[in-house]
Amino acid sequence: MSENNEKSSSDPNVGPLPNEDDERGPRPGEALTLPSHVAGSGTLDRLVDTARDYAVASTAENTNKAYTADWKHFARWCRLKGTDPLPPSPEMIGLYLTDLAAPTGPTPALSVSTIDRRLSGLAWNYAQRGFTLDRKDRHIATVLAGIKRKHARPPVQKEAILPEDILAMVATLPFDLRGLRDRTILLLGYAGGLRRSEIVSLDHSKDDTPDSGGWIEILDVGAVLTLNAKTGWREVEIGRGSSDQTCPVHALEQWLHFAKINFGPIFVRTSRDGKRALEARLSDKHVARLIKTTVLKSGIRAELPEKDRLALFSGHSLRAGLASSAEVDERYVQKHLGHASAEMTRRYQRRRDRFRVNLTKAAGL
């Protein structure tokens, strides 16, 4: 299945090219229409539009982008192989997965988790077109099981940002409005064990904006974040720190005060001179860039080349840092991070005492 063996797009034996819509992939809700036997009306048309809006909101924006890219890649692969992506063919999808795991050309093999995600993207795209992709079909299931058995590796974990690291990182930030905002992002994200998307989707109050992912209530003892997370609504309590310099709630209060934010998105862009808050909500990519930039400036893991240092840290480093540093019962960390199982929480704990409970002795040996 190397690129050298692929048929040219000008080859007369190549099958029909997918049309632009097939290769682009549908947006959620595009297929929602009135039944053919129902006459349209202003009220029904408005309900269809609203239903489409709800369908779009059913999956996160980043997920939608990934699924669209998955379909585009698969549609191009089918075109180069002289076939069509519609209707779904379990045999061809099994070959596609094989090509992803063991390409014979210069294209690098994908990880098992990425291949699994690609398959989920295809299933989603087929569903939007009214087809059902049977992932249990033997042409798909057995190939995927073999890929996992042969190529699966433990997930590569990002480095945890520890307490001394986060303090060094915030110390690199300037004391203008932009620096105050970024300091709040780091401290709040760390203390809350928040995902990048959860940080930037916060609003000042409930129902401030349609794209809100939650809101904040500031109390004397701390702040309560109400988040619309992957597993549903949950509350995260962030207590006040031991000093104003390290307190995420104090930093938040200062940012809201000087940025004059009392409505809408909490974390917004600033003017070029860093002195004035604008209305546009920050992208979650800003959090990723902020973490990597401050890691470099603070000298964390300075013994490594810059490229390796950048690869070690990401947005998940904040969550892993909180999980690894909080010296409390594991169940409290699990609740704080919003994990459904203790096993998931343990994946984030980089330096937990694995033998704190010795079941060998407890069993009498």
Side-chain angles (χ1 to χ4, degrees), residues 57-75:
S58 66
T59 50
E61 181 181 356
N62 288 342
T63 302
N64 292 334
K65 290 179 180 178
Y67 284 173
T68 299
D70 292 339
W71 182 260
K72 186 175 182 180
H73 185 273
F74 176 64

mmCIF file with all atom_site columns, all heavy atoms in Angstrom, residues 57-75:
data_model
loop_
_atom_site.group_PDB
_atom_site.id
_atom_site.type_symbol
_atom_site.label_atom_id
_atom_site.label_alt_id
_atom_site.label_comp_id
_atom_site.label_asym_id
_atom_site.label_entity_id
_atom_site.label_seq_id
_atom_site.pdbx_PDB_ins_code
_atom_site.Cartn_x
_atom_site.Cartn_y
_atom_site.Cartn_z
_atom_site.occupancy
_atom_site.B_iso_or_equiv
_atom_site.pdbx_formal_charge
_atom_site.auth_seq_id
_atom_site.auth_comp_id
_atom_site.auth_asym_id
_atom_site.auth_atom_id
_atom_site.pdbx_PDB_model_num
ATOM 1   N N   . ALA A 1 57 ? -23.903 21.625 18.800 1.00 0.00 ? 57 ALA A N   1
ATOM 2   C CA  . ALA A 1 57 ? -23.410 21.706 20.179 1.00 0.00 ? 57 ALA A CA  1
ATOM 3   C C   . ALA A 1 57 ? -23.224 20.333 20.820 1.00 0.00 ? 57 ALA A C   1
ATOM 4   O O   . ALA A 1 57 ? -22.702 20.238 21.927 1.00 0.00 ? 57 ALA A O   1
ATOM 5   C CB  . ALA A 1 57 ? -24.378 22.539 21.028 1.00 0.00 ? 57 ALA A CB  1
ATOM 6   N N   . SER A 1 58 ? -23.647 19.268 20.132 1.00 0.00 ? 58 SER A N   1
ATOM 7   C CA  . SER A 1 58 ? -23.572 17.929 20.727 1.00 0.00 ? 58 SER A CA  1
ATOM 8   C C   . SER A 1 58 ? -22.138 17.441 20.871 1.00 0.00 ? 58 SER A C   1
ATOM 9   O O   . SER A 1 58 ? -21.852 16.577 21.694 1.00 0.00 ? 58 SER A O   1
ATOM 10  C CB  . SER A 1 58 ? -24.377 16.925 19.889 1.00 0.00 ? 58 SER A CB  1
ATOM 11  O OG  . SER A 1 58 ? -23.789 16.757 18.607 1.00 0.00 ? 58 SER A OG  1
ATOM 12  N N   . THR A 1 59 ? -21.235 17.958 20.055 1.00 0.00 ? 59 THR A N   1
ATOM 13  C CA  . THR A 1 59 ? -19.821 17.590 20.150 1.00 0.00 ? 59 THR A CA  1
ATOM 14  C C   . THR A 1 59 ? -18.987 18.854 20.211 1.00 0.00 ? 59 THR A C   1
ATOM 15  O O   . THR A 1 59 ? -19.363 19.896 19.663 1.00 0.00 ? 59 THR A O   1
ATOM 16  C CB  . THR A 1 59 ? -19.381 16.738 18.941 1.00 0.00 ? 59 THR A CB  1
ATOM 17  O OG1 . THR A 1 59 ? -19.799 17.388 17.726 1.00 0.00 ? 59 THR A OG1 1
ATOM 18  C CG2 . THR A 1 59 ? -19.976 15.351 18.993 1.00 0.00 ? 59 THR A CG2 1
ATOM 19  N N   . ALA A 1 60 ? -17.841 18.761 20.869 1.00 0.00 ? 60 ALA A N   1
ATOM 20  C CA  . ALA A 1 60 ? -16.975 19.917 21.024 1.00 0.00 ? 60 ALA A CA  1
ATOM 21  C C   . ALA A 1 60 ? -16.431 20.372 19.678 1.00 0.00 ? 60 ALA A C   1
ATOM 22  O O   . ALA A 1 60 ? -16.289 19.580 18.735 1.00 0.00 ? 60 ALA A O   1
ATOM 23  C CB  . ALA A 1 60 ? -15.825 19.584 21.970 1.00 0.00 ? 60 ALA A CB  1
ATOM 24  N N   . GLU A 1 61 ? -16.092 21.655 19.594 1.00 0.00 ? 61 GLU A N   1
ATOM 25  C CA  . GLU A 1 61 ? -15.601 22.217 18.338 1.00 0.00 ? 61 GLU A CA  1
ATOM 26  C C   . GLU A 1 61 ? -14.338 21.499 17.863 1.00 0.00 ? 61 GLU A C   1
ATOM 27  O O   . GLU A 1 61 ? -14.185 21.191 16.677 1.00 0.00 ? 61 GLU A O   1
ATOM 28  C CB  . GLU A 1 61 ? -15.320 23.711 18.518 1.00 0.00 ? 61 GLU A CB  1
ATOM 29  C CG  . GLU A 1 61 ? -14.818 24.387 17.257 1.00 0.00 ? 61 GLU A CG  1
ATOM 30  C CD  . GLU A 1 61 ? -14.530 25.868 17.475 1.00 0.00 ? 61 GLU A CD  1
ATOM 31  O OE1 . GLU A 1 61 ? -14.793 26.364 18.582 1.00 0.00 ? 61 GLU A OE1 1
ATOM 32  O OE2 . GLU A 1 61 ? -14.031 26.511 16.530 1.00 0.00 ? 61 GLU A OE2 1
ATOM 33  N N   . ASN A 1 62 ? -13.418 21.223 18.792 1.00 0.00 ? 62 ASN A N   1
ATOM 34  C CA  . ASN A 1 62 ? -12.188 20.539 18.405 1.00 0.00 ? 62 ASN A CA  1
ATOM 35  C C   . ASN A 1 62 ? -12.463 19.125 17.897 1.00 0.00 ? 62 ASN A C   1
ATOM 36  O O   . ASN A 1 62 ? -11.793 18.636 16.987 1.00 0.00 ? 62 ASN A O   1
ATOM 37  C CB  . ASN A 1 62 ? -11.219 20.484 19.591 1.00 0.00 ? 62 ASN A CB  1
ATOM 38  C CG  . ASN A 1 62 ? -10.616 21.833 19.898 1.00 0.00 ? 62 ASN A CG  1
ATOM 39  O OD1 . ASN A 1 62 ? -10.637 22.739 19.061 1.00 0.00 ? 62 ASN A OD1 1
ATOM 40  N ND2 . ASN A 1 62 ? -10.071 21.993 21.094 1.00 0.00 ? 62 ASN A ND2 1
ATOM 41  N N   . THR A 1 63 ? -13.472 18.467 18.496 1.00 0.00 ? 63 THR A N   1
ATOM 42  C CA  . THR A 1 63 ? -13.859 17.136 18.027 1.00 0.00 ? 63 THR A CA  1
ATOM 43  C C   . THR A 1 63 ? -14.417 17.208 16.616 1.00 0.00 ? 63 THR A C   1
ATOM 44  O O   . THR A 1 63 ? -14.098 16.369 15.756 1.00 0.00 ? 63 THR A O   1
ATOM 45  C CB  . THR A 1 63 ? -14.895 16.517 18.973 1.00 0.00 ? 63 THR A CB  1
ATOM 46  O OG1 . THR A 1 63 ? -14.352 16.455 20.297 1.00 0.00 ? 63 THR A OG1 1
ATOM 47  C CG2 . THR A 1 63 ? -15.274 15.115 18.528 1.00 0.00 ? 63 THR A CG2 1
ATOM 48  N N   . ASN A 1 64 ? -15.256 18.207 16.360 1.00 0.00 ? 64 ASN A N   1
ATOM 49  C CA  . ASN A 1 64 ? -15.816 18.374 15.021 1.00 0.00 ? 64 ASN A CA  1
ATOM 50  C C   . ASN A 1 64 ? -14.713 18.587 13.989 1.00 0.00 ? 64 ASN A C   1
ATOM 51  O O   . ASN A 1 64 ? -14.750 18.027 12.887 1.00 0.00 ? 64 ASN A O   1
ATOM 52  C CB  . ASN A 1 64 ? -16.783 19.560 14.999 1.00 0.00 ? 64 ASN A CB  1
ATOM 53  C CG  . ASN A 1 64 ? -18.038 19.298 15.808 1.00 0.00 ? 64 ASN A CG  1
ATOM 54  O OD1 . ASN A 1 64 ? -18.436 18.155 15.993 1.00 0.00 ? 64 ASN A OD1 1
ATOM 55  N ND2 . ASN A 1 64 ? -18.655 20.361 16.303 1.00 0.00 ? 64 ASN A ND2 1
ATOM 56  N N   . LYS A 1 65 ? -13.713 19.394 14.342 1.00 0.00 ? 65 LYS A N   1
ATOM 57  C CA  . LYS A 1 65 ? -12.606 19.650 13.414 1.00 0.00 ? 65 LYS A CA  1
ATOM 58  C C   . LYS A 1 65 ? -11.819 18.367 13.146 1.00 0.00 ? 65 LYS A C   1
ATOM 59  O O   . LYS A 1 65 ? -11.418 18.096 12.011 1.00 0.00 ? 65 LYS A O   1
ATOM 60  C CB  . LYS A 1 65 ? -11.684 20.723 13.996 1.00 0.00 ? 65 LYS A CB  1
ATOM 61  C CG  . LYS A 1 65 ? -12.286 22.125 14.029 1.00 0.00 ? 65 LYS A CG  1
ATOM 62  C CD  . LYS A 1 65 ? -11.315 23.117 14.635 1.00 0.00 ? 65 LYS A CD  1
ATOM 63  C CE  . LYS A 1 65 ? -11.906 24.519 14.664 1.00 0.00 ? 65 LYS A CE  1
ATOM 64  N NZ  . LYS A 1 65 ? -10.975 25.502 15.301 1.00 0.00 ? 65 LYS A NZ  1
ATOM 65  N N   . ALA A 1 66 ? -11.590 17.595 14.219 1.00 0.00 ? 66 ALA A N   1
ATOM 66  C CA  . ALA A 1 66 ? -10.836 16.350 14.053 1.00 0.00 ? 66 ALA A CA  1
ATOM 67  C C   . ALA A 1 66 ? -11.600 15.367 13.174 1.00 0.00 ? 66 ALA A C   1
ATOM 68  O O   . ALA A 1 66 ? -11.019 14.720 12.289 1.00 0.00 ? 66 ALA A O   1
ATOM 69  C CB  . ALA A 1 66 ? -10.546 15.732 15.420 1.00 0.00 ? 66 ALA A CB  1
ATOM 70  N N   . TYR A 1 67 ? -12.915 15.241 13.391 1.00 0.00 ? 67 TYR A N   1
ATOM 71  C CA  . TYR A 1 67 ? -13.714 14.313 12.598 1.00 0.00 ? 67 TYR A CA  1
ATOM 72  C C   . TYR A 1 67 ? -13.780 14.744 11.134 1.00 0.00 ? 67 TYR A C   1
ATOM 73  O O   . TYR A 1 67 ? -13.809 13.908 10.228 1.00 0.00 ? 67 TYR A O   1
ATOM 74  C CB  . TYR A 1 67 ? -15.125 14.201 13.176 1.00 0.00 ? 67 TYR A CB  1
ATOM 75  C CG  . TYR A 1 67 ? -15.215 13.363 14.444 1.00 0.00 ? 67 TYR A CG  1
ATOM 76  C CD1 . TYR A 1 67 ? -16.394 13.287 15.171 1.00 0.00 ? 67 TYR A CD1 1
ATOM 77  C CD2 . TYR A 1 67 ? -14.115 12.652 14.913 1.00 0.00 ? 67 TYR A CD2 1
ATOM 78  C CE1 . TYR A 1 67 ? -16.489 12.521 16.327 1.00 0.00 ? 67 TYR A CE1 1
ATOM 79  C CE2 . TYR A 1 67 ? -14.192 11.894 16.062 1.00 0.00 ? 67 TYR A CE2 1
ATOM 80  C CZ  . TYR A 1 67 ? -15.386 11.831 16.767 1.00 0.00 ? 67 TYR A CZ  1
ATOM 81  O OH  . TYR A 1 67 ? -15.464 11.071 17.903 1.00 0.00 ? 67 TYR A OH  1
ATOM 82  N N   . THR A 1 68 ? -13.829 16.046 10.897 1.00 0.00 ? 68 THR A N   1
ATOM 83  C CA  . THR A 1 68 ? -13.821 16.545 9.519  1.00 0.00 ? 68 THR A CA  1
ATOM 84  C C   . THR A 1 68 ? -12.505 16.205 8.839  1.00 0.00 ? 68 THR A C   1
ATOM 85  O O   . THR A 1 68 ? -12.477 15.772 7.670  1.00 0.00 ? 68 THR A O   1
ATOM 86  C CB  . THR A 1 68 ? -14.046 18.064 9.509  1.00 0.00 ? 68 THR A CB  1
ATOM 87  O OG1 . THR A 1 68 ? -15.323 18.368 10.082 1.00 0.00 ? 68 THR A OG1 1
ATOM 88  C CG2 . THR A 1 68 ? -13.994 18.616 8.093  1.00 0.00 ? 68 THR A CG2 1
ATOM 89  N N   . ALA A 1 69 ? -11.398 16.378 9.560  1.00 0.00 ? 69 ALA A N   1
ATOM 90  C CA  . ALA A 1 69 ? -10.080 16.037 9.009  1.00 0.00 ? 69 ALA A CA  1
ATOM 91  C C   . ALA A 1 69 ? -9.966  14.537 8.765  1.00 0.00 ? 69 ALA A C   1
ATOM 92  O O   . ALA A 1 69 ? -9.352  14.104 7.768  1.00 0.00 ? 69 ALA A O   1
ATOM 93  C CB  . ALA A 1 69 ? -8.979  16.512 9.954  1.00 0.00 ? 69 ALA A CB  1
ATOM 94  N N   . ASP A 1 70 ? -10.538 13.728 9.650  1.00 0.00 ? 70 ASP A N   1
ATOM 95  C CA  . ASP A 1 70 ? -10.512 12.269 9.480  1.00 0.00 ? 70 ASP A CA  1
ATOM 96  C C   . ASP A 1 70 ? -11.202 11.866 8.179  1.00 0.00 ? 70 ASP A C   1
ATOM 97  O O   . ASP A 1 70 ? -10.692 11.030 7.427  1.00 0.00 ? 70 ASP A O   1
ATOM 98  C CB  . ASP A 1 70 ? -11.202 11.574 10.650 1.00 0.00 ? 70 ASP A CB  1
ATOM 99  C CG  . ASP A 1 70 ? -10.432 11.715 11.947 1.00 0.00 ? 70 ASP A CG  1
ATOM 100 O OD1 . ASP A 1 70 ? -9.219  11.985 11.886 1.00 0.00 ? 70 ASP A OD1 1
ATOM 101 O OD2 . ASP A 1 70 ? -11.046 11.575 13.024 1.00 0.00 ? 70 ASP A OD2 1
ATOM 102 N N   . TRP A 1 71 ? -12.354 12.466 7.930  1.00 0.00 ? 71 TRP A N   1
ATOM 103 C CA  . TRP A 1 71 ? -13.101 12.119 6.721  1.00 0.00 ? 71 TRP A CA  1
ATOM 104 C C   . TRP A 1 71 ? -12.352 12.576 5.469  1.00 0.00 ? 71 TRP A C   1
ATOM 105 O O   . TRP A 1 71 ? -12.298 11.851 4.468  1.00 0.00 ? 71 TRP A O   1
ATOM 106 C CB  . TRP A 1 71 ? -14.502 12.734 6.753  1.00 0.00 ? 71 TRP A CB  1
ATOM 107 C CG  . TRP A 1 71 ? -15.285 12.354 5.542  1.00 0.00 ? 71 TRP A CG  1
ATOM 108 C CD1 . TRP A 1 71 ? -15.506 13.104 4.419  1.00 0.00 ? 71 TRP A CD1 1
ATOM 109 C CD2 . TRP A 1 71 ? -15.928 11.099 5.304  1.00 0.00 ? 71 TRP A CD2 1
ATOM 110 N NE1 . TRP A 1 71 ? -16.248 12.411 3.511  1.00 0.00 ? 71 TRP A NE1 1
ATOM 111 C CE2 . TRP A 1 71 ? -16.525 11.171 4.025  1.00 0.00 ? 71 TRP A CE2 1
ATOM 112 C CE3 . TRP A 1 71 ? -16.065 9.933  6.058  1.00 0.00 ? 71 TRP A CE3 1
ATOM 113 C CZ2 . TRP A 1 71 ? -17.238 10.123 3.485  1.00 0.00 ? 71 TRP A CZ2 1
ATOM 114 C CZ3 . TRP A 1 71 ? -16.775 8.881  5.518  1.00 0.00 ? 71 TRP A CZ3 1
ATOM 115 C CH2 . TRP A 1 71 ? -17.362 8.980  4.244  1.00 0.00 ? 71 TRP A CH2 1
ATOM 116 N N   . LYS A 1 72 ? -11.783 13.745 5.519  1.00 0.00 ? 72 LYS A N   1
ATOM 117 C CA  . LYS A 1 72 ? -11.041 14.263 4.365  1.00 0.00 ? 72 LYS A CA  1
ATOM 118 C C   . LYS A 1 72 ? -9.875  13.346 4.026  1.00 0.00 ? 72 LYS A C   1
ATOM 119 O O   . LYS A 1 72 ? -9.611  13.056 2.850  1.00 0.00 ? 72 LYS A O   1
ATOM 120 C CB  . LYS A 1 72 ? -10.546 15.678 4.667  1.00 0.00 ? 72 LYS A CB  1
ATOM 121 C CG  . LYS A 1 72 ? -9.880  16.367 3.484  1.00 0.00 ? 72 LYS A CG  1
ATOM 122 C CD  . LYS A 1 72 ? -9.526  17.803 3.823  1.00 0.00 ? 72 LYS A CD  1
ATOM 123 C CE  . LYS A 1 72 ? -8.892  18.501 2.621  1.00 0.00 ? 72 LYS A CE  1
ATOM 124 N NZ  . LYS A 1 72 ? -8.537  19.910 2.938  1.00 0.00 ? 72 LYS A NZ  1
ATOM 125 N N   . HIS A 1 73 ? -9.166  12.870 5.049  1.00 0.00 ? 73 HIS A N   1
ATOM 126 C CA  . HIS A 1 73 ? -8.032  11.978 4.832  1.00 0.00 ? 73 HIS A CA  1
ATOM 127 C C   . HIS A 1 73 ? -8.497  10.646 4.235  1.00 0.00 ? 73 HIS A C   1
ATOM 128 O O   . HIS A 1 73 ? -7.897  10.131 3.285  1.00 0.00 ? 73 HIS A O   1
ATOM 129 C CB  . HIS A 1 73 ? -7.299  11.738 6.153  1.00 0.00 ? 73 HIS A CB  1
ATOM 130 C CG  . HIS A 1 73 ? -6.051  10.929 6.011  1.00 0.00 ? 73 HIS A CG  1
ATOM 131 N ND1 . HIS A 1 73 ? -6.059  9.544  6.048  1.00 0.00 ? 73 HIS A ND1 1
ATOM 132 C CD2 . HIS A 1 73 ? -4.754  11.295 5.829  1.00 0.00 ? 73 HIS A CD2 1
ATOM 133 C CE1 . HIS A 1 73 ? -4.822  9.095  5.891  1.00 0.00 ? 73 HIS A CE1 1
ATOM 134 N NE2 . HIS A 1 73 ? -4.012  10.132 5.758  1.00 0.00 ? 73 HIS A NE2 1
ATOM 135 N N   . PHE A 1 74 ? -9.585  10.102 4.769  1.00 0.00 ? 74 PHE A N   1
ATOM 136 C CA  . PHE A 1 74 ? -10.093 8.818  4.282  1.00 0.00 ? 74 PHE A CA  1
ATOM 137 C C   . PHE A 1 74 ? -10.626 8.952  2.858  1.00 0.00 ? 74 PHE A C   1
ATOM 138 O O   . PHE A 1 74 ? -10.389 8.068  2.015  1.00 0.00 ? 74 PHE A O   1
ATOM 139 C CB  . PHE A 1 74 ? -11.199 8.309  5.212  1.00 0.00 ? 74 PHE A CB  1
ATOM 140 C CG  . PHE A 1 74 ? -11.853 7.037  4.748  1.00 0.00 ? 74 PHE A CG  1
ATOM 141 C CD1 . PHE A 1 74 ? -11.118 5.862  4.653  1.00 0.00 ? 74 PHE A CD1 1
ATOM 142 C CD2 . PHE A 1 74 ? -13.199 7.011  4.409  1.00 0.00 ? 74 PHE A CD2 1
ATOM 143 C CE1 . PHE A 1 74 ? -11.717 4.675  4.221  1.00 0.00 ? 74 PHE A CE1 1
ATOM 144 C CE2 . PHE A 1 74 ? -13.803 5.838  3.977  1.00 0.00 ? 74 PHE A CE2 1
ATOM 145 C CZ  . PHE A 1 74 ? -13.061 4.665  3.883  1.00 0.00 ? 74 PHE A CZ  1
ATOM 146 N N   . ALA A 1 75 ? -11.328 10.045 2.570  1.00 0.00 ? 75 ALA A N   1
ATOM 147 C CA  . ALA A 1 75 ? -11.872 10.243 1.223  1.00 0.00 ? 75 ALA A CA  1
ATOM 148 C C   . ALA A 1 75 ? -10.744 10.347 0.200  1.00 0.00 ? 75 ALA A C   1
ATOM 149 O O   . ALA A 1 75 ? -10.840 9.804  -0.902 1.00 0.00 ? 75 ALA A O   1
ATOM 150 C CB  . ALA A 1 75 ? -12.744 11.499 1.187  1.00 0.00 ? 75 ALA A CB  1
#
